[in-house]
Amino acid sequence: ALEGLGWAPEDARAEAWYRIARGEWERAVQLGPAAREPLIACVSDVSGDALHAIEALGRIGGAGAIDVLIGALELPFGSPGNSEALLRHRRAAAKALVEIYASGEAAEDLRQRIFGKRALITEHSDSVRHVDSSRDTCFGTDHIDDPGYHTDTGIGVDFPL
């Protein structure tokens, strides 16, 4: 609709907001660092858009992106919200951080910050024996009285050195 009215974004940041609003994630990534701030704003909600934003931030990188991705990675199990969405959110953040690390393009101090989260990214350990199912993952309070209730401490994503 905006294009039909002859509207054009005034700068790359405005174009990033526009591309994100249209779900044109690849086009947003192509804008590079100009898209970082708009993408970061999308990560605060545990939704499909947040997952796309996390993946895009993994491709763009940068200090601000790494801070947000680490924050998403560290969302505690048992946080309010849809448990399966939280798991997808954390897993996407872990994969994005690994992608930034593996690219070798991040500054050494940023790579070290990511490396410092390696145990959280790679290890998947449970404090209580249980069986996860696709319907009932390991978050939430809806099964707190269940004898299989447990806490997880890692994501289980491969982090090659």
Side-chain angles (χ1 to χ4, degrees):
L2 290 173
E3 292 167 343
L5 297 172
W7 178 83
E10 60 191 45
D11 57 24
R13 185 174 169 268
E15 182 175 355
W17 280 109
Y18 177 69
R19 298 301 173 194
I20 290 167
R22 292 181 50 96
E24 297 175 357
W25 300 100
E26 184 59 37
R27 298 279 303 267
V29 168
Q30 291 170 357
L31 295 168
R36 191 176 297 125
E37 181 184 334
L39 289 166
I40 286 170
C42 293
V43 174
S44 63
D45 184 29
V46 182
S47 69
D49 284 348
L51 292 175
H52 289 293
I54 287 170
E55 291 166 358
L57 286 169
R59 294 176 58 202
I60 293 172
I66 290 170
D67 290 338
V68 169
L69 293 171
I70 288 173
L73 175 71
E74 292 177 335
L75 284 171
F77 286 103
S79 292
N82 179 310
S83 59
E84 290 183 24
L86 282 169
L87 180 60
R88 286 190 301 269
H89 201 98
R90 290 185 74 200
R91 186 169 287 128
K95 288 179 179 180
L97 288 165
V98 170
E99 184 175 350
I100 292 169
Y101 183 88
S103 75
E105 295 174 15
E108 186 59 30
D109 63 318
L110 298 177
R111 293 185 82 230
Q112 288 303 314
R113 288 185 57 217
I114 295 169
F115 186 79
K117 301 298 176 184
R118 188 170 188 267
L120 183 59
I121 291 169
T122 60
E123 294 174 7
H124 180 88
S125 60
D126 303 307
S127 62
V128 176
R129 228 176 83 181
H130 72 285
V131 175
D132 285 336
S133 72
S134 61
R135 181 190 64 75
D136 183 28
T137 56
C138 46
F139 315 101
T141 58
D142 58 334
H143 64 284
I144 199 159
D145 295 324
D146 184 317
Y149 176 74
H150 64 281
T151 58
D152 289 324
T153 59
I155 304 298
V157 170
D158 188 35
F159 192 141
L161 296 178

